[in-house]
Every structure is written in C-alpha cells, then in structure tokens.
Amino acid sequence: MHRPFQIDLRSLPLEGKDISGTEPASFFALNAEDNAQAVSPLEYDLHIEKDDDEIVIQGRLAATFSLECGRCLERFEHRVEIDPYHAEIPLEKDMTINLTDTIREDTLVALPSYPRCEDGNVRPRQCPAEGRFERAPETAAEEPESAGRGVWDALNQLN
C-alpha cells in the first residue's frame, strides 16, 4: 500500500528525505455533507529531516476545494497553496512516524473560515447576494431609562 507520509526514522538519512507526488481528493476524508469538498488531488513537494527531538517538514502543499458561499449558498472553487510549508513534529518513541494527519489538518486549516464567492481564487466572481443584506449593528441600541425594569434590574434582584 502506498503511504508516502509514513516515515521510518531508522531509514531516514542524516541529510533528510525528499518526497513529492499527489494524493487523491479522498485523502482529506471529508464527509459528503461538509461545506468544503476536495475537487483536486493534494500536490506535495516536501523535505523531511530529523532535528534532535523533532521531525522538520518543509516544502509546498496545494489542493483545490469546492466551498459553499456563506452569503448566497452557491458553490465556488478555492485553491489552497501553502508555499512555503513548514511543520515541526515532536518525536515519540515509535520508530515510524505518520505525517498524514498533520498534512491533512494544515491544508484544511488554510481554508477560509467564512467562505465568500469573491474569495474564490480559481474562477473569480462577484457574489450574487452582494449588497442584499445589511450589516448588523455592532452594539444593541441604548434602552431609554423610562423603559421600565431592564435586564440588569432582574439580575440584581437574584442576589
């Protein structure tokens, strides 16, 4: 079985090891109901070396995802490119270390938290819902003093 991210520390040369290739979109193990879906393979070009009590990974990661716009709910594509990529993983007593979860998580964390159509970098476009919604006020309107018992008065009575 092909496992490029499983590194046997006993056979890791002192100067490190270079790995490159692609992993299928299924590498990200996303559920069909997730707002983000991988639509391209993960591309990687990495240098892995041991540095005292940790593994240092440097290089490049890239993949394209289909995201759901938080405003109009339409799908758009966003390409994640992490270049330069850098990660440090503490060594444990195992003789083999699996970098799969680290690579997967670091790539997914690079996706926008609040995806919008206009953030798509594969086929840029304007969100069709742009300008249809007003921004919520930053703070609640001040309650006039003559409005009766306020929320804070009710809390004070509990003491």
Side-chain angles (χ1 to χ4, degrees):
M1 180 176 255
H2 172 71
R3 296 183 185 200
F5 301 124
Q6 288 213 338
I7 308 300
D8 184 354
L9 299 176
R10 296 171 291 201
S11 65
L12 187 63
L14 289 174
E15 67 276 3
K17 177 180 178 180
D18 292 324
I19 62 171
S20 62
T22 61
E23 288 294 311
S26 61
F27 168 80
F28 293 102
L30 297 168
N31 292 327
E33 301 83 37
D34 287 342
N35 287 339
Q37 294 296 317
V39 294
S40 80
L42 168 71
E43 302 165 20
Y44 60 91
D45 186 12
L46 302 170
H47 177 77
I48 302 164
E49 66 182 56
K50 185 177 173 184
D51 182 28
D52 292 329
D53 57 348
E54 61 189 12
I55 291 287
V56 178
I57 310 157
Q58 297 177 342
R60 175 184 170 277
L61 300 173
T64 303
F65 293 85
S66 172
L67 304 175
E68 185 177 272
C69 177
R71 195 178 296 153
C72 70
L73 304 180
E74 291 182 17
R75 298 204 72 76
F76 68 97
E77 289 187 354
H78 182 80
R79 182 145 177 95
V80 171
E81 291 197 32
I82 307 173
D83 188 9
Y85 174 73
H86 182 87
E88 297 175 1
I89 301 172
L91 288 177
E92 296 181 14
K93 295 182 182 181
D94 277 343
M95 293 307 221
T96 301
I97 189 165
N98 189 347
L99 306 175
T100 302
D101 289 341
T102 301
I103 304 261
R104 179 185 298 130
E105 289 170 10
D106 288 347
T107 306
L108 293 174
V109 165
L111 289 170
S113 300
Y114 302 101
R116 302 274 195 242
C117 293
E118 59 268 14
D119 297 333
N121 55 9
V122 175
R123 286 181 217 93
R125 71 179 207 155
Q126 202 57 16
C127 181
E130 179 69 34
R132 289 182 36 201
F133 304 102
E134 291 183 32
R135 281 195 106 149
E138 293 290 324
T139 58
E142 290 293 321
E143 183 177 293
E145 286 190 34
S146 62
R149 290 184 38 188
V151 174
W152 299 115
D153 289 337
L155 290 175
N156 288 334
Q157 288 182 352
L158 292 175
N159 291 333

